[in-house]
Amino acid sequence: MAVPAGPLRVATFHADLSRKGPGLMLRDILARDPAMLEAAARLDAIGADVVLLQDVDYDAAGMGLAAFAALLTTEYPYRFALRPNTGMATGLDLDGDGRLGGPGDAQGFGFFAGDGGMAVLSRFPVLTDQVRDFSGFLWAALPGALLFDGMSEGAKAVQRLSSTGHWEVPLELPGGTVLRLLAFHATPPVFDGPEDRNGRRNHDEIAFWPALIAGRLPFAPPAPPWVILGDANADPDAGDGRHDGIAALLADPAVQDPLPGTASADYPATGPLRLDYVLPMAGLRIIGAGMGDGAPHRPVWVDLDLP
């Protein structure tokens, strides 16, 4: 497929495709459910070259993602997804409700394995042999982790940091440049108790990126150029959660913030919030940035000048 020269549009979109059972997302896509058609139209409207989708159910054969891509007028010949932590059983009572096997006992909240994962749609090849998946990294291993009071030693030994995933996904651009997508979807900092389990985890999921970039983790920092993108589920000024985590990421000199002061999501209970981000590394030339239409989340995009 010929790709015209020009700025590279990188986007993130919490598409709200997930359904509460395995195979139900695929069923609704094939049935051309109006919500699925609306999500496809919203994505088509921004014309992204590459997009990170959140809240898309994972299946090992990629059938659901392929079916959604078939709804689009924008062609994305390259699709990528990994099994998320959502719904991945731990065998422990992580949420402390006295029962095992519930959605709150999984590595990330989920009613089934693969519930509400992430996926990449791209016009350019994904270098799958260079992908790095950090989703198995333990929460307790993060330097300065905000573990909650009462977290058991058993939980500390198995609880992963990523509620959905942290990925480094390299794309090979037409000029030979390799752009690395640093992709994630953090847990909402609500739906817990006074221990602030989810608020603390949300903070630390965001804090993973500055730690990785600065070389404070047992992984090599990402090779440039790179872009951090995804649903942080955190606003630096408003809403629930620990604002200092996302504020620190936005203020990190290693990143650029093309859309300060904007709101990408709007829920009746919260009002407008900035939850979704595309943050290019410092030094990349940004041509433009913006958001699409719709609710509760709007697609967010950034245009980059890359060789």
Side-chain angles (χ1 to χ4, degrees):
M1 180 184 67
V3 178
L8 175 75
R9 178 160 292 185
V10 180
T12 188
F13 181 28
H14 184 126
D16 218 14
L17 303 180
S18 180
R19 297 295 183 264
K20 288 189 177 180
L24 298 185
M25 183 187 82
L26 176 60
R27 176 202 65 185
D28 288 354
I29 293 172
L30 295 177
R32 301 182 68 83
D33 180 278
M36 299 296 182
L37 296 177
E38 179 186 358
R42 291 170 64 196
L43 180 53
D44 273 329
I46 65 169
D49 294 299
V50 57
V51 59
L52 173 69
L53 297 175
Q54 298 92 48
D55 205 35
V56 53
D57 293 337
Y58 171 84
D59 65 89
M63 295 175 64
L65 184 59
F68 180 69
L71 294 181
L72 302 168
T73 57
T74 309
E75 292 186 27
Y76 293 110
Y78 303 99
R79 301 184 291 271
F80 178 80
L82 293 170
R83 182 185 177 184
N85 284 342
T86 47
M88 184 182 293
T90 64
L92 299 179
D93 179 17
L94 292 181
D95 60 7
D97 66 356
R99 298 186 297 272
L100 297 176
D105 299 324
Q107 287 289 359
F109 186 93
F111 293 96
F112 59 93
D115 183 4
M118 304 190 298
V120 173
L121 297 175
S122 176
R123 299 172 68 193
F124 309 112
V126 176
L127 301 177
T128 54
D129 61 330
Q130 297 182 32
V131 167
R132 293 199 293 173
D133 182 9
F134 307 111
S135 306
F137 182 67
L138 293 181
W139 185 3
L142 182 75
L146 301 182
L147 303 179
F148 59 90
D149 291 341
M151 188 175 186
S152 70
E153 292 303 314
K156 292 176 185 177
V158 303
Q159 179 70 82
R160 299 177 173 190
L161 173 63
S162 305
S163 55
T164 304
H166 284 76
W167 306 341
E168 179 184 302
V169 182
L171 305 178
E172 185 175 19
L173 305 184
T177 297
V178 174
L179 175 68
R180 300 178 189 277
L181 307 180
L182 306 184
F184 78 123
H185 183 187
T187 189
V190 289
F191 311 121
D192 53 16
E195 82 288 348
D196 195 26
R197 174 193 182 192
N198 292 337
R200 291 168 178 269
R201 191 178 187 185
N202 171 275
H203 173 283
D204 286 353
E205 288 189 82
I206 296 166
F208 175 87
W209 295 123
L212 177 69
I213 292 162
R216 299 196 302 270
L217 299 179
F219 314 107
W226 47 257
V227 176
I228 299 171
L229 73 171
D231 181 356
N233 262 315
D235 185 298
D237 302 305
D240 294 304
R242 296 170 176 257
H243 307 302
D244 56 326
I246 187 62
L249 175 60
L250 296 174
D252 193 307
V255 307
Q256 301 181 72
D257 181 6
L259 293 167
T262 56
S264 64
D266 195 344
Y267 289 93
T270 64
L273 294 171
R274 189 180 186 195
L275 303 181
D276 309 275
Y277 300 85
V278 180
L279 304 173
M281 66 173 289
L284 291 184
R285 186 177 175 217
I286 298 173
I287 306 297
M291 289 182 283
D293 295 324
H297 287 259
R298 303 165 66 186
V300 176
W301 54 266
V302 171
D303 287 343
L304 300 173
D305 183 16
L306 288 169

